[in-house]
């Protein structure tokens, strides 16, 4: 009996495998016929089935799958089926999470729809995956020009201003402020000043996805990625101990644009004072 059971299970598994191979083969043929008929939506559905049933084929069908995805996405875009378009890209990125071409294409759709900050994130990921990907680099620089305010460049090149910030932070750290929160960190310059001044713990928050990614790169280039904790958050959303372990002893910021009169620096500093900053005894 044991031998009979084992034989039955082996035959059952063999039948399942043969059925899987047959379904994959038929789906590939159907996908090809749909492409010839320019029925990209149905072809895309067939490729999804194939890749889920036979992940070992990911490499061999990758280029054809990309072509099908992009053609179907164009149709969905023209039909204003935006949610379906995003769903297709999410499915594709689940199958190919480190594909720079799909990331770049997703970013292009987001950029055209006005989601520039989100687009920058996908362009940035594409460049990270393949630093020689010219299209992704061009796209990232283009969207960065939209998102990085010009006053950032002016401030970064204002040596007198930066020196004043550096001295003020150094004085605060020497007087006992050992934990620092940088609100609206931008490029991360004030966080790095705080760390170089000797602060034991430095946290920085940045709402803009583009500036957050830029700060990560700048901090890493200065070998401080393990010493400065960067948060892609609005300061009003920071929670203790979820995001930072305890209240800080110093808050720094140079958020001086129009946000001063909107949701920016006033509310942020009030929130920091009430919830994130150590209170004087």
């Amino acid at each position: 009996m044991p031998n009979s059971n084992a034989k039955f299970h082996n035959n059952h598994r063999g039948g399942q495998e043969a059925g899987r191979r047959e379904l994959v083969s038929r789906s590939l043929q159907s996908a090809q016929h749909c492409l010839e008929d320019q029925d990209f939506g149905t072809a895309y559905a067939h490729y999804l089935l194939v890749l889920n049933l036979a992940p070992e084929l990911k490499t061999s069908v990758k280029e054809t799958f990309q072509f099908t995805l992009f053609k179907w996405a164009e149709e969905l875009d023209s039909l204003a089926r935006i949610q379906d378009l995003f769903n297709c890209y999410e499915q594709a990125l689940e199958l190919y999470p480190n594909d720079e071409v799909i990331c770049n294409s997703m970013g292009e759709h987001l950029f055209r729809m006005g989601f520039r900050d989100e687009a920058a994130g996908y362009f940035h990921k594409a460049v990270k995956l393949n630093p020689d990907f010219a299209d992704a680099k061009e796209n990232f620089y283009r969207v960065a020009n939209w998102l990085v305010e010009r006053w950032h460049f002016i401030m970064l090149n204002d040596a007198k201003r930066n020196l004043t910030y550096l001295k003020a932070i150094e004085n605060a750290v020497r007087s006992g402020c050992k934990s620092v929160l940088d609100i609206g960190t931008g490029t991360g310059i004030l966080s790095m000043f705080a760390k170089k001044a000797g602060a034991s713990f430095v946290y920085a928050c940045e709402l803009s996805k583009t500036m957050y990614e830029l700060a990560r790169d700048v901090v890493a280039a200065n070998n401080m990625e393990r010493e400065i904790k960067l948060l892609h958050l609005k300061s009003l959303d920071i929670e203790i101990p979820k995001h930072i372990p305890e209240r800080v002893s110093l808050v720094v910021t140079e958020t001086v644009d129009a946000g001063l009169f909107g949701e920016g620096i006033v509310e942020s500093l009030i929130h920091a004072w009430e919830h994130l900053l150590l209170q004087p005894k």
Side-chain angles (χ1 to χ4, degrees):
M1 287 298 291
N3 290 335
S4 298
N5 287 336
K7 185 177 180 180
F8 171 78
H9 288 302
N10 287 335
N11 289 338
H12 181 64
R13 283 197 296 270
Q16 284 184 323
E17 177 59 23
R20 182 186 74 90
R21 288 198 300 267
E22 177 67 17
L23 182 55
V24 167
S25 176
R26 288 185 178 181
S27 293
L28 282 172
Q29 291 176 8
S30 297
Q32 189 59 44
H33 290 318
C34 289
L35 286 179
E36 292 171 0
D37 295 337
Q38 296 189 350
D39 182 0
F40 300 113
T42 307
Y44 175 76
H46 280 299
Y47 277 118
L48 279 185
L49 177 62
V50 167
L51 290 168
N52 278 286
L53 287 175
E56 67 273 14
L57 296 180
K58 281 184 179 180
T59 301
S60 61
V61 304
K62 179 179 176 179
E63 289 188 9
T64 311
F65 174 76
Q66 288 175 342
F67 172 81
T68 306
L69 168 66
F70 300 156
K71 286 295 185 180
W72 180 225
E74 287 177 8
E75 285 192 24
L76 292 173
D77 193 9
S78 67
L79 296 169
R81 292 171 57 182
I82 305 306
Q83 189 56 56
D84 289 335
L85 185 154
F86 287 153
N87 289 341
C88 286
Y89 273 96
E90 287 175 2
Q91 292 166 340
L93 287 170
E94 285 180 6
L95 293 166
Y96 296 96
N98 295 318
D99 188 288
E100 70 274 17
V101 178
I102 295 177
C103 287
N104 183 64
S105 180
M106 175 66 158
E108 289 176 338
H109 281 286
L110 287 165
F111 184 78
R112 284 196 294 270
M113 294 174 192
F115 300 107
R116 291 168 181 156
D117 208 23
E118 293 82 355
Y122 281 97
F123 293 145
H124 185 265
K125 182 178 180 180
V127 173
K128 284 288 188 180
L129 290 167
N130 182 2
D132 297 323
F133 189 6
D135 286 349
K137 286 198 291 187
E138 181 179 345
N139 284 332
F140 180 70
Y141 294 144
R142 179 175 53 155
V143 75
N145 282 332
W146 283 90
L147 294 172
V148 180
E149 294 87 345
R150 294 303 175 190
W151 52 264
H152 272 292
F153 301 108
I154 297 172
M155 289 194 301
L156 287 173
N157 288 286
D158 189 341
K160 183 177 179 181
R161 174 192 178 86
N162 293 335
L163 184 59
T164 301
Y165 269 106
L166 175 59
K167 288 181 177 179
I169 292 171
E170 286 176 339
N171 289 337
V173 172
R174 276 198 296 264
S175 69
C177 296
K178 295 300 183 182
S179 56
V180 180
L181 171 63
D182 180 6
I183 295 177
T185 191
T187 57
I189 187 170
L190 298 188
S191 295
M192 292 186 291
F193 283 171
K195 196 62 197 178
K196 288 180 178 179
S200 302
F201 306 100
V202 179
Y203 312 99
C205 64
E206 175 57 55
L207 182 59
S208 165
K209 177 68 172 176
T210 305
M211 294 307 301
Y212 167 75
E213 295 289 356
L214 179 60
R216 288 182 61 186
D217 288 344
V218 172
V219 168
N222 285 272
N223 299 314
M224 292 187 181
E225 64 269 31
R226 295 184 180 180
E227 301 174 319
I228 298 173
K229 182 176 181 180
L230 287 164
L231 302 167
H232 181 216
L233 285 173
K234 187 177 179 181
S235 63
L236 298 174
D237 295 330
I238 295 176
E239 299 177 16
I240 298 172
K242 181 178 179 180
H243 301 115
I244 61 178
E246 57 187 4
R247 292 188 178 209
V248 298
S249 51
L250 177 66
V251 171
V252 296
T253 186
E254 54 177 347
T255 311
V256 294
D257 67 339
L260 174 65
F261 304 104
E263 66 172 13
I265 193 62
V266 175
E267 288 186 1
S268 296
L269 289 180
I270 291 174
H271 175 74
W273 173 259
E274 292 177 345
H275 303 285
L276 306 174
L277 190 64
L278 285 171
Q279 300 296 313
K281 296 181 180 179

